[in-house]
Amino acid sequence: MTSPARQTLQEVFGYDEFRGQQQTAIERALAGRDSLVLMPTGGGKSVCYQVPALLRDGTALVVSPLIALMQDQVSALHELGVPAAFLNSSLSREDQDAVIGDLRRGELKLLYVAPERLVQPGTRALLSQVPISLVAIDEAHCVSQWGHDFRQDYLGLAGLAEWFPGVPRMALTATATALTRAEIIERLALTDARTLVSGFDRPNIRYQVQAKTDGRSQLGRFLNQHRDEAGIVYCLSRKKTESTAQWLEAEGYTALPYHAGLSAEKRAEHQRRFLNEDGVIIVATIAFGMGIDKPDVRFVAHLDLPKSLEAYYQETGRAGRDGLPAEAWMVYGLQDVVRLRQMADESTAGEEYKRHERQKLDTLLGWCEVTHCRRRPLLAYFGEELAADCGNCDNCLQPPATRDGTEDAQKLLSAVYRTGQMFGAAHVVDVLLGKDTDKVQQHSHGQLTVFGIGADRAAQAWRSAIRQLVVQGCLRVDAERFGALVLTEASRSVLRGEQKLELREDPVVTRTRRRKGKSSAGEEVAITDIKLWNALRDCRQRLAAEHSVPPYVIFHDSTLRQMLSDRPDSADALLEISGVGQAKLQRYGDEFLTVIRQAG
Ligand code: ADP
Ligand code: ZN
């Protein structure tokens, strides 16, 4: 017999099976128990609280940090025929009163609230007068003070247990190192909660990392394979997002900047265009992204290093939520490391925090330099083990060549030592190559025995060797002294010849091949009938405009693709397609069936 939870999943959401830990989370909530749900982005967190919200008496409260996200979630629920609303500062007095009226009459199954709103005594008084079925705390890692999205308001949520006694609570996040988990449990007082972890792997995302030579033209080559696709390009500074967006526009892309320095209207407009139009690129600082649940983001590109592996995982996780192939692409150089170190050192935070930040950066850097499968160490960082190499990262697809780099390392370390451990990578490389620069003359470095001993290798190879030695702990970048390279304990054993070193050969030109056919995420449905495909997309676009929602709220690409391959010819056949539930069948079924029939 089908359980009520499964029946709801099928009838309302149009999905056949639960994913990962969804079922357990739902069952616990139905039994009145607390949970901490850890799922990767796109893993299906919302279903975990939406299903019990529909099955339990009363209204479920969903605490969510972002106004834009609430709006999206609520309109997506309306499309599914679920009565839901939100309370936040964007509502007019009248709209607020209407929501409160619905709430009091028991007409809402879900109510989204911003944390700052929830902690107000007025809101709590209101909520104490209505039956609350469940409290979901989305983006729960925002309580973590060491995390990257800390929000002061989230600390107030410790009171939830007291305000709603006996009501099950569910905290949800995609960020889940052991430290963050422990913090969430403590700060939200989830003492009785079970932690439910779903696989963190995102097999459809292809990871690629390259040494930065000329970031912009490298990006240009990468984007060439993604014409007309939606994606996000992350940069560290506001200025760079602006100039990169301009350059992309000139190259014929639709690219919009997004950063905290733009007016709220501009940001909202750019976000809206990204969501509602096909093939828009957002060039953003980290100010963009949390709560963007656009399913068809085909790539996330990093022109600068993110702050940590956690941040990288979360940012790249915005690609490919629909499960179709997507790419996470990044270029990085030693300069990024120096800059991030300086930013960490200059912050006014305490010593412990800074040390923590430095460690995180080192972990990320180490990951950038790995010579084997990238997915394995990435998942290991989140406590998950992958049984075999993934076959869908740059190192798996084109294994990098390695060589015995002991002698090169010795040359390099000697050059650092002889020049007094006072100079950054650029000058050390010049000395190795024997370049007669102003700086070389000024410091009489042309006299040194190490001058020119590395002329047999290109500058790029030396920069690569420096990065790898830093990662292996044989060289340190001193951010306080503007990136000066200094020796470490481990350097000495290399210099004395007691330790052998493997170095990776960086490919001179890194070119990524256009993926074809099969990816490890499964067969990509080939679009064999362009005419029908376009007709389906037009139909979706028209309905989206009529309902004032983004196209993917009507149906995902993956749902349209299945229509294309299965050609359903009846309501029942349409219901078989993943993403088609009762409400959507009634609303849109006829329109799509007509389109398919006309295609013959
Ligand atoms: P998250 O909040 O974890 O990033 P969402 O809740 O937005 O993820 O879900 C990601 C996508 O997966 C959504 O489009 C959702 O409808 C879909 N989804 C969720 N659960 C299932 C399921 N059991 N089967 C198929 N698709 C699902
Ligand atoms: Zn791999």
Side-chain angles (χ1 to χ4, degrees):
M1 212 192 73
T2 330
S3 69
R6 178 169 305 240
Q7 204 174 340
T8 304
L9 183 77
Q10 291 171 348
E11 289 180 6
V12 178
F13 296 87
Y15 299 134
D16 274 349
E17 299 290 337
F18 286 114
R19 276 188 190 163
Q21 297 280 354
Q22 280 177 337
Q23 188 167 5
T24 317
I26 292 166
E27 278 165 5
R28 280 185 68 82
L30 290 176
R33 315 287 301 272
D34 302 339
S35 306
L36 168 58
V37 176
L38 308 171
M39 264 190 200
T41 315
K45 284 184 284 297
S46 1
V47 163
C48 296
Y49 57 82
Q50 288 170 350
V51 169
L54 286 169
L55 291 170
R56 282 176 72 93
D57 287 336
T59 305
L61 279 186
V62 185
V63 185
S64 171
L66 288 171
I67 292 176
L69 178 66
M70 288 185 203
Q71 177 112 44
D72 272 14
Q73 293 251 7
V74 167
S75 34
L77 284 167
H78 287 168
E79 289 299 316
L80 296 170
V82 175
F86 58 82
L87 270 184
N88 63 36
S89 53
S90 76
L91 287 183
S92 68
R93 192 73 255 161
E94 268 176 351
D95 288 342
Q96 264 187 50
D97 290 344
V99 169
I100 292 171
D102 288 348
L103 178 70
R104 285 190 195 278
R105 282 189 300 276
E107 283 168 8
L108 295 176
K109 287 317 286 179
L110 292 109
L111 178 69
Y112 287 76
V113 249
E116 63 273 18
R117 183 66 181 242
L118 184 60
V119 300
Q120 286 170 10
T123 314
R124 296 212 317 268
L126 167 70
L127 294 174
S128 67
Q129 295 159 24
V130 294
I132 298 300
S133 57
L134 166 76
V135 181
I137 304 111
D138 207 2
E139 312 284 1
H141 61 278
C142 291
V143 294
S144 163
Q145 271 166 322
W146 279 356
H148 47 284
D149 286 325
F150 174 64
R151 288 178 177 242
Q152 190 70 36
D153 297 318
Y154 262 65
L155 290 181
L157 299 179
L160 283 170
E162 212 177 292
W163 306 333
F164 304 105
V167 175
R169 285 173 297 146
M170 189 186 289
L172 307 104
T173 177
T175 304
T177 58
L179 190 68
T180 318
R181 275 181 218 188
E183 261 192 294
I184 295 174
I185 289 177
E186 190 198 315
R187 293 189 200 275
L188 292 180
L190 287 170
T191 38
D192 193 27
R194 207 157 102 203
T195 303
L196 307 175
V197 189
S198 283
F200 265 73
D201 192 11
R202 301 284 311 280
N204 59 316
I205 298 183
R206 175 171 297 179
Y207 298 102
Q208 296 182 63
V209 182
Q210 302 176 2
K212 194 188 286 186
T213 48
D214 169 5
R216 195 176 267 190
S217 43
Q218 288 174 292
L219 178 69
R221 280 199 296 277
F222 168 70
L223 288 182
N224 238 328
Q225 311 157 32
H226 292 280
R227 290 258 166 204
D228 301 323
E229 292 180 348
I232 308 172
V233 176
Y234 283 110
C235 307
L236 202 54
S237 73
R238 298 175 182 185
K239 221 168 93 193
K240 190 160 167 188
T241 64
E242 300 267 358
S243 63
T244 307
Q246 260 169 26
W247 175 73
L248 287 173
E249 282 281 342
E251 293 285 303
Y253 295 92
T254 310
L256 305 168
Y258 190 104
H259 56 75
L262 292 175
S263 68
E265 298 87 68
K266 260 268 166 307
R267 288 207 305 267
E269 182 201 323
H270 290 182
Q271 176 163 333
R272 200 178 51 242
R273 289 191 56 193
F274 178 64
L275 297 178
N276 293 351
E277 292 173 24
D278 280 331
V280 174
I281 298 174
I282 284 275
V283 188
T285 58
I286 49 169
F288 182 77
M290 190 166 63
I292 295 297
D293 52 4
K294 183 175 167 66
D296 55 356
V297 176
R298 291 272 68 87
F299 63 88
V300 169
H302 281 91
L303 269 184
D304 296 305
L305 269 187
K307 271 201 183 132
S308 63
L309 206 51
E310 248 166 303
Y312 171 79
Y313 184 78
Q314 192 158 58
E315 284 156 24
T316 55
R318 290 167 187 143
R321 276 167 177 255
D322 53 11
L324 299 174
E327 293 197 75
W329 178 92
M330 174 158 78
V331 285
Y332 87 103
L334 214 51
Q335 213 34 49
D336 291 333
V337 181
V338 175
R339 230 181 28 239
L340 286 171
R341 284 252 162 90
Q342 276 165 352
M343 276 165 64
D345 289 350
E346 281 161 12
S347 93
T348 51
E351 248 334 289
E352 195 186 0
Y353 175 85
K354 287 184 189 171
R355 201 168 49 244
H356 194 70
E357 290 296 290
R358 279 195 290 269
Q359 260 170 20
K360 290 211 269 195
L361 188 55
D362 287 344
T363 310
L364 175 65
L365 196 59
W367 182 78
C368 289
E369 287 293 341
V370 297
T371 50
H372 50 268
C373 178
R374 285 193 193 279
R375 196 175 308 265
R376 297 181 93 166
L378 185 60
L379 291 178
Y381 185 70
F382 295 103
E384 208 172 297
E385 204 179 317
L386 195 66
D389 286 355
C390 77
N392 194 28
C393 70
D394 50 1
N395 288 346
C396 278
L397 291 164
Q398 286 171 302
T402 57
R403 62 185 157 91
D404 181 356
T406 314
E407 199 185 314
D408 280 351
Q410 286 168 341
K411 289 181 182 171
L412 180 54
L413 295 175
S414 308
V416 169
Y417 181 68
R418 298 280 167 210
T419 50
Q421 308 187 57
M422 296 159 53
F423 298 92
H427 181 65
V428 172
V429 171
D430 283 344
V431 169
L432 282 163
L433 295 176
K435 277 199 186 164
D436 192 22
T437 64
D438 288 350
K439 216 173 192 172
V440 164
Q441 288 189 0
Q442 189 189 338
H443 297 276
S444 309
H445 284 166
Q447 322 288 316
L448 299 175
T449 50
V450 290
F451 189 71
I453 54 165
D456 55 330
R457 290 204 182 274
Q460 199 191 333
W462 285 117
R463 281 195 295 269
S464 164
I466 291 174
R467 282 195 312 273
Q468 295 181 64
L469 287 182
V470 169
V471 167
Q472 298 186 24
C474 298
L475 204 52
R476 196 163 58 77
V477 179
D478 191 342
E480 266 162 41
R481 289 192 294 137
F482 309 102
L485 297 173
V486 291
L487 301 186
T488 67
E489 262 319 298
S491 316
R492 308 199 192 279
S493 59
V494 174
L495 279 170
R496 284 197 298 260
E498 293 162 8
Q499 196 191 329
K500 283 219 168 300
L501 272 179
E502 284 276 298
L503 287 183
R504 182 180 65 195
E505 300 271 24
D506 270 325
V508 181
V509 194
T510 359
R511 200 170 301 185
T512 49
R513 274 166 297 141
R514 178 99 184 119
R515 48 168 194 269
K516 276 212 191 87
K518 244 184 146 137
S519 78
S520 76
E523 201 86 42
E524 190 182 348
V525 187
I527 299 176
T528 44
D529 187 341
I530 290 286
K531 222 173 114 218
L532 177 54
W533 173 246
N534 286 336
L536 290 168
R537 297 224 306 179
D538 288 347
C539 178
R540 175 175 69 174
Q541 184 75 54
R542 185 167 46 75
L543 293 168
E546 272 169 28
H547 292 242
S548 320
V549 293
Y552 57 79
V553 169
I554 307 286
F555 284 129
H556 281 187
D557 277 2
S558 49
T559 303
L560 293 195
R561 275 171 188 257
Q562 213 183 328
M563 289 187 194
L564 189 66
S565 58
D566 294 3
R567 309 265 175 140
D569 55 2
S570 65
D572 282 346
L574 205 53
L575 266 182
E576 292 290 303
I577 288 185
S578 183
V580 185
Q582 289 295 347
K584 288 193 178 174
L585 176 71
Q586 265 160 37
R587 271 173 216 214
Y588 314 125
D590 284 341
E591 310 246 11
F592 282 91
L593 284 173
T594 309
V595 170
I596 294 165
R597 250 176 238 136
Q598 278 167 354

